């Protein structure tokens, strides 16, 4: 029977090449399907060689078992002119297996693809051609490019569309297919095994084999083409023989009948020949495409290896920098601990010196090291001094504004008193003049001038009040800023003085303890002297 043939290839069905998922499914499964997108019907029900077909769908996607609905939904889901509408996995099935074993093997791989990508798989099992390599049992698995669920087709599966991942993923699928084939051969008690790796990668000095699926079909259709070339003569001879045997018809009618039959047969054969030529051209171009794909795959694997090397180097650099940073941190921590220990040693030595120092000298030292008040030091800071100057100017401006306001009020009050005094004149002539003035009949010059002065004085008073309010607000703002700045300065000074204050408190504590001890000794001495005098 010959060796077991290994073959797995992955191809795209793309609109950019004028193809459709509906037509591809109809051709591979030998079905009659209508493409709702363009209205074309693809009828391949008379196609020979299709020994079986079935659909594998994810759980819940029961609608996908209708082939026409499945592939029309796949077409409707894409709206670009160059969309990939389906993906085809072409598998060589071992001739050493029986029909059930081959179907089980193809179904197992389809189920794995469905599980891996969540797509729907349409499987077609093909027999070898009548005159081709009789080992060429093979399967075409046409899958959707979108994941399927109970509601239809969802997100696009792009792992096989991205150059960075497609080569590695196809290599994984080839390895998995080889494993499934070998398991099936082992179950069938066949000793041979297949390997998905090339002869070079296996270290075998042997020319690679050629998958005979398309080749066998092409050879078969070449034979048809040769038969077509000789068909007119053969058909004519046969027609003449049949015409001579026919009874009840004229030889001319029989000859015409046979010619029509031969023409129909010739047209069918020519159409098959054209299809064969197209597949032969595709077969001849396949090595170049395969070489290009192998080169791209090798480049991708190299890129992945280089990226992995770069990542490993980067990780090593990160670890080295982390170790260096950790060592530096540990060194700093050791230095800090040593410094703390040294400070503690000096502080303890200083405390011991305080305990042995004469009390009067210790008292002077306590007064000397007592740090100044933080508030006093804060007032000496340049920013506080500058703010105090600003405060003094604001205070002077506020005082000037208050004086101006008092002057404006006094002037207005004087004018109003003078105006009131004129109006209180009870003489007849004066009252008549005031009445004419109020009625607007005759404006009394003195009253007119007074009223103008009063109006001007009132306006000046309002402006002075407004100015005084602004000056007071500025004065309050300066005071608030001084308090904030002083508070910040005092906090900083207290933080800076904290070691000095702690040292002063500890020194004062020791001074207090030593004074108490001295007083206790003096009392004890006095008591001792008193007992001595008593005896």
């Amino acid at each position: 029977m010959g060796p077991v043939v290994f073959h797995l290839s992955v191809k795209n069905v793309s609109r950019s090449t004028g193809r459709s998922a509906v037509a591809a499914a109809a051709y591979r499964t030998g079905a009659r399907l209508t493409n709702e997108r363009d209205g074309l019907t693809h009828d391949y029900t008379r196609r020979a060689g299709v020994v079986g077909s079935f659909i594998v769908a994810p759980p819940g996607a029961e609608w996908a078992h209708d082939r026409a609905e499945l592939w029309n939904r796949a077409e409707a889901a894409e709206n670009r002119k160059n969309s990939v509408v389906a993906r085809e996995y072409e598998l060589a099935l071992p001739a050493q297996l029986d029909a059930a074993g081959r179907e089980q093997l193809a179904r197992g791989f389809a189920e794995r693809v469905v599980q891996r990508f969540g797509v729907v798989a349409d499987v077609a099992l093909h027999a070898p051609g009548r005159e081709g390599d009789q080992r060429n049992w093979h399967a075409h698995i046409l899958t959707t490019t979108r994941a399927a669920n109970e509601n239809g087709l969802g997100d696009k599966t792009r792992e096989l569309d991205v150059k960075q991942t497609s080569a590695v993923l196809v290599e994984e699928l080839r390895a998995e297919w080889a494993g499934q084939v070998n398991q099936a051969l082992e179950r069938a008690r066949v000793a041979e095994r297949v390997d998905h790796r090339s002869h070079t990668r296996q270290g075998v000095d042997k020319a690679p084999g050629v998958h005979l699926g398309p080749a066998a079909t092409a050879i078969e259709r070449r034979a048809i083409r040769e038969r077509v070339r000789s068909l007119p003569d053969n058909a004519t001879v046969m027609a003449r023989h049949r015409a001579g045997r026919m009874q009840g018809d004229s030889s001319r009618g029989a000859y015409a009948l046979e010619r029509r039959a031969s023409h129909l047969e010739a047209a069918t054969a020519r159409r098959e020949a054209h299809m064969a030529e197209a597949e032969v051209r595709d077969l001849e171009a396949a090595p170049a495409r395969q070489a290009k794909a192998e080169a791209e795959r090798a480049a991708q694997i190299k890129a992945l290896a280089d990226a992995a090397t770069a990542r490993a180097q980067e990780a090593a650099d990160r670890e080295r920098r982390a170790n260096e940073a950790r060592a530096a941190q540990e060194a700093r921590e050791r230095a800090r601990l040593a410094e703390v220990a040294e400070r503690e040693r000096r502080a303890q030595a200083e405390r011991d010196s305080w305990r042995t120092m004469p009390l009067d000298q210790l008292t002077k030292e306590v007064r000397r090291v007592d740090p100044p008040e933080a508030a006093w030091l804060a007032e000496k800071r340049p920013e506080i001094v500058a703010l105090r100057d600003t405060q003094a100017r604001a205070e002077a401006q506020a005082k000037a504004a208050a004086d101006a306001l008092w002057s404006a009020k006094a002037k207005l009050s004087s004018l109003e008193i003078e105006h009131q005094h004129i109006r209180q004149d009870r003489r007849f002539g004066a009252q008549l003049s005031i009445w004419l003035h109020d009625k607007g009949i005759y404006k009394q010059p003195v009253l007119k001038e007074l009223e103008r002065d009063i109006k001007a004085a009132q306006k000046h008073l309002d402006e002075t009040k407004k100015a005084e309010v602004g000056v007071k607000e500025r004065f309050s703002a300066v005071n608030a800023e001084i308090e904030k700045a002083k508070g910040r300065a005092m906090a900083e000074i207290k933080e800076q003085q904290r070691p000095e204050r702690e040292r002063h408190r500890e020194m004062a504590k020791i001074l207090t303890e030593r004074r108490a001890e001295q007083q206790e000794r003096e009392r004890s001495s006095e008591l001792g002297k008193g007992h001595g005098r008593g005896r």
Side-chain angles (χ1 to χ4, degrees):
M1 182 174 289
V4 180
V5 177
F6 176 85
H7 176 73
L8 185 150
S9 64
V10 184
K11 306 174 185 177
N12 290 335
V13 178
S14 176
R15 285 180 185 161
S16 62
T17 58
R19 304 175 69 189
S20 74
V22 176
Y27 180 75
R28 282 153 183 76
T29 60
R32 184 179 188 274
L33 300 176
T34 299
N35 190 345
E36 298 174 358
R37 184 170 176 268
D38 54 19
L40 294 178
T41 297
H42 305 277
D43 189 355
Y44 293 99
T45 53
R46 299 181 62 185
R47 183 186 178 190
V50 180
V51 296
S53 64
F54 52 87
I55 292 175
V56 179
E62 302 301 330
W63 60 269
H65 290 278
D66 185 332
R67 184 170 285 119
E69 181 180 359
L70 168 64
W71 294 114
N72 274 296
R73 283 201 185 192
E75 285 286 341
E78 311 296 338
N79 53 20
R80 297 174 59 183
K81 64 180 180 181
N82 61 345
S83 295
V84 175
V85 292
R87 190 167 283 115
E88 180 185 15
Y89 300 81
E90 187 178 88
L91 312 172
L93 301 174
Q96 289 79 358
L97 302 179
D98 57 13
R102 288 190 293 269
E103 179 178 350
Q104 180 182 1
L105 185 58
R107 184 182 294 275
F109 185 76
E111 289 174 348
R112 181 66 186 96
V113 171
V114 170
Q115 180 184 6
R116 171 66 177 80
F117 300 107
V119 295
V120 180
D122 194 351
V123 184
L125 305 175
H126 288 190
R130 289 189 301 273
E131 298 179 9
D133 188 343
Q134 295 306 299
R135 296 174 301 165
N136 189 27
W137 295 92
H138 57 283
H140 296 269
I141 301 178
L142 200 65
T143 70
T144 59
T145 59
R146 293 178 178 271
N149 52 47
E150 63 274 10
N151 299 320
L153 296 175
D155 295 335
K156 196 87 167 177
T157 57
R158 299 192 179 278
E159 293 93 332
L160 288 169
D161 295 329
V162 180
K163 287 186 177 181
Q164 287 77 3
T165 58
S166 60
V168 176
L169 192 54
V170 170
E171 186 71 9
E172 292 176 0
L173 292 172
R174 287 170 58 83
E176 185 162 353
W177 171 241
Q180 292 185 7
V181 170
N182 288 332
Q183 291 175 5
L185 292 173
E186 184 177 359
R187 288 194 298 269
R189 300 178 184 278
V190 176
E192 294 183 64
R193 297 293 182 266
V194 297
D195 195 320
H196 70 285
R197 298 173 298 170
S198 65
H199 288 165
T200 302
R201 292 171 59 193
Q202 295 180 52
V204 177
D205 186 12
K206 180 181 177 182
V210 179
H211 176 59
L212 297 179
T217 305
I219 292 170
E220 179 184 359
R221 288 176 177 171
R222 278 183 182 142
I224 294 173
R225 186 166 66 247
E226 293 299 328
R227 182 168 60 86
V228 169
R229 291 196 182 105
S230 61
L231 183 60
D233 295 337
N234 295 338
T236 302
V237 172
M238 293 180 66
R240 287 175 179 172
H241 282 292
R242 283 194 293 271
R245 289 195 300 270
M246 293 178 66
Q247 298 179 358
D249 293 327
S250 65
S251 59
R252 181 176 298 176
Y255 179 76
L257 181 62
E258 290 298 327
R259 282 296 295 268
R260 285 196 296 273
S262 65
H263 288 166
L264 178 60
E265 184 177 358
T268 302
R270 286 191 184 95
R271 185 173 68 84
E272 293 180 354
H274 288 315
M275 294 175 62
E277 288 175 357
E279 292 203 10
V280 168
R281 286 195 298 272
D282 185 67
L283 179 63
E284 291 171 348
R289 288 198 303 271
Q290 185 175 3
K292 182 180 179 182
E294 289 290 343
E296 291 178 352
R297 186 178 301 113
Q300 291 166 359
I301 292 174
K302 183 178 182 301
L304 290 174
D306 292 343
T309 303
R311 286 195 298 272
Q313 183 62 39
E314 184 179 355
D317 292 342
R318 283 199 303 270
E319 184 177 2
R320 177 181 55 78
R321 290 193 296 270
N323 290 336
E324 291 175 355
R326 186 162 51 251
Q329 178 64 27
E330 291 174 355
R332 288 193 296 270
E333 183 64 18
R334 286 194 297 271
R336 187 188 67 81
L337 292 175
E339 184 180 356
V340 169
E342 179 61 21
R343 284 201 305 269
E344 181 60 28
R345 186 191 64 77
R346 289 197 299 268
Q348 184 60 43
E350 192 174 35
R351 286 194 292 270
D352 293 342
S353 68
W354 294 340
R355 294 186 183 280
T356 58
M357 186 182 296
L359 275 179
D360 55 347
Q361 185 179 349
L362 181 59
T363 302
K364 292 178 182 178
E365 190 67 16
V366 169
R367 286 198 295 268
R368 186 185 67 80
V369 300
D370 188 11
E373 290 295 329
W376 182 81
L377 291 175
E379 289 290 341
K380 300 297 183 181
R381 288 204 169 187
E383 62 270 21
I384 304 297
V385 173
L387 285 173
R388 289 296 185 191
D389 293 340
T390 304
Q391 181 188 40
R393 289 194 297 271
E395 187 176 6
Q397 291 173 357
K399 185 175 182 305
D403 293 341
L405 179 62
W406 181 86
S407 177
K409 287 181 177 179
K411 184 176 180 181
L412 178 60
S413 177
S414 174
L415 291 173
E416 288 177 343
I417 291 171
E418 185 178 355
H419 183 264
Q420 187 67 25
H421 179 70
I422 292 173
R423 284 186 170 274
Q424 289 177 354
D425 190 350
R426 297 302 178 184
R427 291 179 298 172
F428 176 76
Q431 289 297 316
L432 178 61
S433 177
I434 292 170
W435 182 83
L436 292 173
H437 177 83
D438 291 342
K439 295 297 184 181
I441 299 173
Y442 170 74
K443 288 295 183 180
Q444 213 274 345
V446 177
L447 286 175
K448 182 178 179 181
E449 185 178 357
L450 272 175
E451 289 173 352
R452 184 173 63 250
D453 292 344
I454 289 172
K455 185 176 180 181
Q458 183 65 51
K459 181 179 179 182
H460 177 66
L461 177 63
D462 294 340
E463 293 174 351
T464 305
K465 285 181 179 179
K466 189 179 296 184
E468 185 198 29
V469 170
V471 171
K472 284 183 177 180
E473 289 178 351
R474 285 196 297 273
F475 183 66
S476 299
V478 171
N479 289 337
E481 189 174 357
I482 287 175
E483 292 301 321
K484 289 181 180 178
K486 190 173 179 179
R488 289 193 300 269
M490 289 177 63
E492 293 175 3
I493 292 170
K494 286 180 179 179
E495 180 62 25
Q496 294 170 359
Q497 289 181 339
R498 186 166 56 83
E500 297 177 13
R501 291 190 178 279
E502 289 178 356
R503 183 167 177 266
H504 177 265
R505 280 196 296 271
E506 192 165 0
M507 187 183 293
K509 180 180 177 183
I510 291 174
L511 177 61
T512 303
E513 291 174 354
R514 290 189 61 188
R515 282 177 175 171
E517 291 172 359
Q518 184 179 14
Q519 290 174 0
E520 183 63 27
R521 284 196 300 270
E522 290 175 352
R523 281 197 298 271
S524 298
S525 176
E526 290 294 331
L527 288 174
K529 290 179 181 179
H531 285 303
R533 286 194 298 268
R535 286 194 298 268

